Amino acid sequence: VSPLWRCELILTDRCNFKCKYCRGLRNDITGEIKFSSALSIVQQWVKEGLQNVRFSGGEPTLYLGLADLISECKKAGVKRIAVSTNGSASQKKYSELIKAGVNDFSVSLDACCSSVADRMSGGINGAWFKVVENIKWLSAQTYTTVGIVVNDDNIEKCLDTILFADTLGVSDIRVI
């Protein structure tokens, strides 16, 4: 039997972006997990020796109990606590999550310019500028990965996006 070292908990299907490529959730599991259920899952994982946990969604920063779940993991000695985010939350929110115990952020950055990024995010005008500033800020605080989803909308500028992401101080770049 392998030890339970790495798990991901999808907290919500809510998101403030409408990215065409988003994996979405199956119809039978849409919505949001109750906090008591999420806490119970995390506590069970910790008992089994959890070393790495990732909180995702939708957009997990919209989940009200996220900081409490992170604190529970930190208190239990989980080594790597990650959040996958679209990067649009406030720096105050990200700071709260870092204080709670996050030491790894994965942020989506699908373009090297706002016009393509706004189209990729489902028409959220101006979001790209906030995401870029948050990536720079997060990269100065903790381990930060940029995830670049490539599709027909951005494939022509994929290399430019990778090169741009590299200027933001990130720890890692993933091309998906």
Side-chain angles (χ1 to χ4, degrees), residues 7-15 22-25 29 31-33 38 42 45 53-66 69-70 81-86 97 102 104-108 174:
C7 295
E8 179 175 1
L9 185 56
I10 299 171
L11 299 171
T12 182
D13 67 350
R14 289 188 301 132
C15 187
C22 187
R23 67 177 183 247
L25 299 175
I29 57 169
E32 196 162 277
I33 189 170
V42 165
W45 287 348
V53 65
R54 176 170 302 281
F55 295 101
S56 66
E59 176 52 41
T61 62
L62 298 176
Y63 187 80
L64 293 178
L66 179 59
L69 293 171
I70 291 165
I81 303 170
V83 171
S84 294
T85 177
N86 62 26
L97 299 178
V102 173
D104 182 343
F105 282 95
S106 292
V107 185
S108 297
R174 289 183 307 124

Side-chain angles (χ1 to χ4, degrees), residues 105 135 138-139 142-146 165-166 168-173:
F105 282 95
I135 290 170
L138 286 168
S139 295
T142 191
Y143 189 93
T144 303
T145 298
V146 162
D166 192 45
L168 302 177
V170 298
S171 306
D172 195 9
I173 299 170

Side-chain angles (χ1 to χ4, degrees), residues 15-162:
C15 187
N16 52 331
F17 285 8
K18 295 170 180 60
C19 304
K20 293 188 270 184
Y21 63 79
C22 187
R23 67 177 183 247
L25 299 175
R26 297 186 333 236
N27 289 336
D28 61 330
I29 57 169
T30 59
E32 196 162 277
I33 189 170
K34 290 180 183 176
F35 178 77
S36 60
S37 297
L39 182 61
S40 178
I41 290 167
V42 165
Q43 290 170 336
Q44 182 61 45
W45 287 348
V46 166
K47 285 181 194 172
E48 298 294 327
L50 181 68
Q51 299 295 308
N52 303 284
V53 65
R54 176 170 302 281
F55 295 101
S56 66
E59 176 52 41
T61 62
L62 298 176
Y63 187 80
L64 293 178
L66 179 59
D68 294 326
L69 293 171
I70 291 165
S71 293
E72 185 73 18
C73 290
K74 183 178 180 180
K75 182 175 70 178
V78 175
K79 292 178 182 153
R80 173 80 47 196
I81 303 170
V83 171
S84 294
T85 177
N86 62 26
S88 68
S90 68
Q91 287 180 3
K92 180 180 177 186
K93 177 63 153 181
Y94 291 124
S95 183
E96 170 191 329
L97 299 178
I98 291 168
K99 185 177 179 185
V102 173
N103 54 16
D104 182 343
F105 282 95
S106 292
V107 185
S108 297
L109 180 74
D110 299 325
C112 58
C113 64
S114 64
S115 61
V116 175
D118 290 348
R119 190 169 59 249
M120 295 274 296
S121 67
I124 311 299
N125 292 331
W128 182 82
F129 295 103
K130 183 174 188 179
V131 170
V132 167
E133 286 306 308
N134 281 340
I135 290 170
K136 289 180 196 175
W137 185 84
L138 286 168
S139 295
Q141 310 303 312
T142 191
Y143 189 93
T144 303
T145 298
V146 162
I148 303 167
V149 174
V150 180
N151 67 15
D152 289 341
D153 290 329
N154 67 352
I155 194 163
E156 299 277 331
K157 294 286 189 178
C158 182
L159 179 57
D160 292 336
T161 304
I162 294 166

